Amino acid sequence: MLPRILLVVFLLVNLFYVSGRSIHKGTNHQFDEKNKDHWSVQAQWMLHSKVTAMLNVRRAKNVILFLGDGMSITTLAATRVYLGQQYGHFGEELKLSFEVFPFTGLAKTYCVDHNVADSACSGTAYLTGVKANSGTVGLSAGVKRGDCKAQKEGLYSVTGLMDWAQTAGKKTGVVTTTRVTHATPAASYAHSADRRWEADTDLPPLSTLCEDIAMQLVRGEVGSKIDIVLGGGRRNFFPNYKTDVEGIQGYRSDGVDLIDEWINNKEKTGHKPVYIHDRQQLMNIDVKKYDSMLGLFSPDHMPYHLEAEEDDPSLSEMTQKAIQMLSRSENGFFLFVEGGRIDTAHHETKARKALDETVEFAKAVEAALRMVDTEETLVVVTSDHSHTMTYSGYSKRGSDILGLSNKMNASDHLPFTTLSYANGPGYKAEINNMRHNPILDDLNNVDYTYPSLVPTVRETHGGEDVAVFAKGPWSHLFTGNYEQNYLPHAIAYAACIGPGLTSCKL
């Protein structure tokens, strides 16, 4: 029998997962991996934790669904190394905050009409429980992309977790680092035949009778009832003859100021709303004074963490403030949190930014875990789709994950980067039948575009499954391999919300 003290020792050394406070800079906590006992203790501890784990079958009062947009399993593996190497570790041996969750699974991400998903059809799947066509939000696959008439008919509209939670009397919130009208957050409240219809100006001439996504956030049956909305995309909410606090011109053509309308609507329904636009306002909010909050911190997507300024709140800060306000609800809450700029960095083949955004996402998960009781709060972490980034080359442990493979050159006798993409803007044409030599590049540049095999303006998504991590009530429901649209049904079961089978209706 493994001595209990060894289990405790391994527990301590195994808890160096992602966060500034859990990995201490300047110290090296590498294990003695050449000692066979290291691996035996590690495996025995994992086995012990599995066989002694008790299943939590309590009703989930609260639910937090974290979504790392474009957070492929390859991204997770590379991020561990990226983070660990910043604190004197090799990195591969570490775990991100949510990778220590007791239950994991794999979700299949394809759309009804495409084998590789976009953020709209996938968002519809994991937020409403219905798979959809690519480019459509909150609509079943009976609607083709761009079909305004079908959108207006309402016959194909689908709602999910946000609506179900509101119907059950729970407070709700959306937090994202993208525009709050972007495809992923939009899937929680809107019905749009085209994800690009974020403001009325985006609507084509024959589709002007369809409500844009920003309008649905303020006037929609589900959107208007969301208590907290934090993210970017300010331009989509005010007229083009006005400018915001940054001097940026509005994007709406209909003359409507949806920010003022949001405040007025909340006040008319007895709420105490507040609108904010920078980090200082967010951090100084008295959560006891207000019960509704709209925070639009950027005209477009929020800046990458590596480029953020003092006025830009982090994903962790937005998540913490949202939980503080939502936690005042006696009936519990549902919060959707998206780390959206992992995806945009991958589209640009800017791997450094993608990994850094994944670190920030993991920090937000850890921040939330410090604030909630997972005996009554279900926390699910997943992704909407993959990307084409690969991690290869047989490099030695400790090699810079963002650098060159140091074990071998390619058959053309030129080096290659450990991370690369199947397609994207990082493609560099051959000169004299010779591949571009990456030694000539500045790999330390935050905007370096990593090599791509096929030239495309934007790198595409990948079609493989994505990981799902769960902790809290009924988290064991998230093991195995399943369709992506299973996720909201399992969440609803745990929280006793929605029209389907729940743990309260056994």
Side-chain angles (χ1 to χ4, degrees), residues 235 238-244 246-252 299:
R235 288 186 65 209
F238 65 96
N240 52 21
Y241 59 81
K242 288 186 178 181
T243 56
D244 65 8
E246 298 181 45
I248 304 297
Q249 185 178 4
Y251 187 58
R252 300 196 66 83

Side-chain angles (χ1 to χ4, degrees), residues 193-430:
D194 197 317
R195 57 177 290 176
R196 294 173 298 184
W197 296 347
E198 296 185 47
D200 68 306
T201 307
D202 298 317
L203 294 166
L206 297 179
S207 300
T208 54
L209 295 178
C210 276
E211 277 195 336
D212 61 87
I213 293 172
M215 183 76 75
Q216 293 184 55
L217 177 57
V218 176
R219 297 182 182 177
E221 183 67 24
V222 177
S224 64
K225 296 176 184 176
I226 300 177
D227 300 286
I228 295 176
V229 179
L230 302 177
R234 190 189 304 130
R235 288 186 65 209
N236 290 329
F237 290 84
F238 65 96
N240 52 21
Y241 59 81
K242 288 186 178 181
T243 56
D244 65 8
V245 293
E246 298 181 45
I248 304 297
Q249 185 178 4
Y251 187 58
R252 300 196 66 83
S253 304
D254 57 9
V256 176
D257 189 323
L258 290 175
I259 296 174
D260 286 345
E261 186 172 323
W262 179 85
I263 296 172
N264 293 332
N265 289 346
K266 288 294 184 182
E267 290 177 340
K268 288 178 182 177
T269 53
H271 292 280
K272 299 176 181 177
V274 59
Y275 167 70
I276 56 178
H277 55 74
D278 63 31
R279 179 179 180 272
Q280 184 176 4
Q281 291 177 325
L282 176 71
M283 303 308 290
N284 292 334
I285 285 287
D286 182 352
V287 297
K288 296 180 180 179
K289 185 177 179 180
Y290 304 100
D291 60 11
S292 299
M293 177 166 53
L294 174 62
L296 300 175
F297 304 106
S298 175
D300 201 335
H301 294 322
M302 294 182 65
Y304 289 109
H305 169 253
L306 290 174
E307 298 171 340
E309 298 181 355
E310 188 176 348
D311 284 344
D312 300 310
S314 68
L315 183 61
S316 294
E317 290 168 340
M318 292 191 292
T319 300
Q320 289 173 295
K321 192 61 68 171
I323 293 174
Q324 287 176 8
M325 187 171 285
L326 294 173
S327 294
R328 299 180 62 216
S329 169
E330 295 182 358
N331 292 327
F333 63 84
F334 169 69
L335 175 62
F336 177 63
V337 180
E338 182 203 17
R341 304 232 61 189
I342 302 169
D343 175 74
T344 58
H346 274 319
H347 279 307
E348 299 166 350
T349 66
K350 295 177 179 177
R352 184 181 299 272
K353 286 182 174 179
L355 303 191
D356 189 76
E357 289 297 313
T358 306
V359 169
E360 289 303 299
F361 176 76
K363 288 180 180 178
V365 176
E366 185 178 7
L369 292 174
R370 291 197 297 264
M371 299 181 67
V372 300
D373 179 3
T374 53
E375 285 299 305
E376 65 174 14
T377 301
L378 172 63
V379 182
V380 179
V381 180
T382 187
S383 178
D384 49 354
H385 52 70
S386 180
H387 272 276
T388 71
M389 187 183 78
T390 61
Y391 175 2
S392 60
Y394 303 117
S395 285
K396 294 180 180 178
R397 291 283 295 280
S399 302
D400 182 2
I401 188 66
L402 293 166
L404 302 173
S405 173
N406 61 18
K407 181 68 174 178
M408 58 183 288
N409 285 339
S411 56
D412 59 6
H413 307 295
L414 293 176
F416 59 93
T417 54
T418 299
L419 302 179
S420 61
Y421 291 82
N423 55 55
Y427 174 84
K428 293 180 176 64
E430 292 184 351

Side-chain angles (χ1 to χ4, degrees), residues 45 51 69 127 138 187 191 251 304 342 437 448 453 461 484 494 502:
W45 170 255
V51 299
D69 198 314
L127 284 165
H191 313 287
Y251 187 58
Y304 289 109
I342 302 169
N437 189 345
Y448 177 68
L453 175 64
H461 297 164
Q484 193 172 37
T502 73

Side-chain angles (χ1 to χ4, degrees), residues 151-173:
Q151 174 184 324
K152 280 186 63 63
E153 286 177 353
L155 299 176
Y156 305 99
S157 296
V158 291
T159 61
L161 290 171
M162 198 67 68
D163 177 39
W164 301 341
Q166 291 171 353
T167 301
K170 295 183 182 295
K171 295 289 186 180
T172 54

